[in-house]
Amino acid sequence: MTIDLVVLEADRAADDVVALRLARPDGAGLPAWTPGAHIDLHLGEDLVRQYSLCGDPAETTAYRIAVLATPDSRGGSKAVHNLRPGDRVRVSEPRNHFPFEPADHYVFVAGGIGITPLLPMIKAAEAAGATWELAYGGRRRSSMAFLETLQSYGPRLHVVVQEEVGPLDLNEVLAGYRPGARIYACGPEPLLAALEERCTGLPLHLERFTAATVDTSDDTEFEVVLDRSGRTLTVPPGRSIFEVVRAAGVNVLGSCLEGTCGTCETEVLDGAVDHRDTVLTADERETDECMMICVSRARSTRLTLDL
């Protein structure tokens, strides 16, 4: 389901970052959301992009997002940066694949625009009476969104500006880790990969903006059984389940088609999945109960899906 919203505000949050406030034209309430949620912006024909909600879930009549203009944009960030107050935009209802779990202490790690999904988590941690600390890295101070607002948190905020002191030192960030604390991180892939390497066995929660790099050279053909219709389709190397199912006339939803947004999540009834998304947790992958059909494939010769 999508909602037609109007841009109330389009403000500069940092160099190349625009913060938008979106609401219904009549000011009516919007679907509720929780920290870690994102919305899809429908910015044109076949141009749908996902952006984390960075406002306050208690504000029920507006959504807030912040978007970085990227030089290698495929059109999404450019379209967002062209929006002005009064413009209309269609958005999805919020979805959350980066849920905020209870803990007594949190370690937040943000790289650049990765600060956005962490902002409502910090508010939630404050409201719950939990302790927390935030390590926020960026190339330049002027490029770090919401830095001025975050300064009010005092010593809990650790700002690392790369052009001044170099990149985030993750060993230092994790040195004071307390048993039972949860680690939430969002940012560029090298930062997240380095965290994964250092946090084996720890409760690490990641939000990725980019698709995982996957070696497809050994991909083989497999069959997909569509349980609702009883049809069996063949998925060859070089084509995704999503593409094959769509070509067969089956209506399936998709957005990023890179395994990062969760729109195409599909229930798996039988078979073993080769998970290639960046949405599901390790535990969720282990169950093989669902998959992202835009990128993931089969480890077995056949998959049965709830389609």
Side-chain angles (χ1 to χ4, degrees):
M1 176 179 169
T2 58
I3 315 163
D4 290 319
L5 302 183
V6 64
V7 178
L8 295 182
E9 300 170 6
D11 299 323
R12 182 174 174 271
D15 290 350
D16 300 322
V17 178
V18 64
L20 299 183
R21 192 161 170 263
L22 309 169
R24 294 187 192 270
D26 62 1
L30 292 168
W33 60 280
T34 54
H38 71 268
I39 54 174
D40 297 346
L41 265 63
H42 296 254
L43 301 163
E45 187 175 352
D46 296 325
L47 184 59
V48 182
R49 296 292 183 267
Q50 296 73 42
Y51 299 108
S52 297
L53 290 168
C54 62
D56 186 346
E59 184 180 14
T60 60
T61 59
Y63 292 148
R64 194 181 192 201
I65 61 172
V67 179
L68 172 69
T70 55
D72 57 348
S73 169
R74 294 172 298 153
S77 68
K78 182 178 180 180
V80 172
H81 277 250
N82 285 334
L83 291 172
R84 297 292 180 267
D87 288 346
R88 301 293 183 98
V89 62
R90 190 159 48 95
V91 308
S92 70
E93 291 192 8
R95 299 193 305 277
N96 198 338
H97 292 287
F98 190 39
F100 187 59
E101 304 289 347
D104 293 328
H105 184 73
Y106 296 93
V107 177
F108 298 112
V109 183
I113 197 62
I115 189 63
T116 51
L118 303 183
L119 292 174
M121 293 186 179
I122 291 171
K123 287 182 179 292
E126 286 274 288
T131 56
W132 59 269
E133 55 190 295
L134 166 64
Y136 182 14
R139 293 183 183 278
R140 306 178 308 279
R141 286 185 183 273
S142 62
S143 70
M144 300 173 71
F146 309 112
L147 185 57
E148 186 174 337
T149 301
L150 288 166
Q151 298 282 8
S152 64
Y153 289 119
R156 288 175 291 179
L157 171 67
H158 309 285
V159 177
V160 179
V161 183
Q162 187 168 336
E163 69 175 11
E164 297 175 8
V165 298
L168 276 172
D169 183 341
L170 295 181
N171 291 328
E172 183 178 330
V173 170
L174 298 171
Y177 176 80
R178 307 179 190 178
R182 292 188 181 275
I183 306 166
Y184 280 85
C186 184
E189 180 56 29
L191 171 67
L192 303 187
L195 269 173
E196 282 185 312
E197 184 178 322
R198 289 166 171 79
C199 294
T200 302
L202 298 181
L204 174 65
H205 308 262
L206 302 177
E207 172 89 312
R208 282 183 159 92
F209 290 146
T210 57
T213 301
V214 179
D215 182 3
T216 62
S217 60
D218 293 331
D219 285 357
T220 58
E221 180 179 286
F222 61 94
E223 291 184 335
V224 171
V225 178
L226 310 185
D227 186 68
R228 297 183 205 171
S229 64
R231 299 175 65 183
T232 299
L233 306 174
T234 299
V235 182
R239 297 195 74 194
S240 68
I241 298 174
F242 183 90
E243 291 171 327
V244 170
V245 170
R246 266 281 183 90
V250 179
N251 184 26
V252 287
L253 297 177
S255 179
C256 72
L257 303 186
E258 294 181 339
T260 61
C261 74
T263 303
C264 68
E265 182 174 338
T266 302
E267 184 179 355
V268 178
L269 303 179
D270 189 48
V273 181
D274 177 7
H275 294 285
R276 300 180 176 185
D277 64 278
T278 59
V279 176
L280 298 176
T281 65
D283 289 343
E284 289 170 332
R285 292 182 177 199
E286 188 70 25
T287 67
D288 274 351
E289 292 179 352
C290 63
M291 68 183 298
M292 307 303 153
I293 61 173
C294 66
V295 291
S296 296
R297 299 180 67 81
R299 289 189 290 111
S300 51
T301 58
R302 173 177 290 196
L303 287 175
T304 302
L305 304 178
D306 184 26
L307 292 172

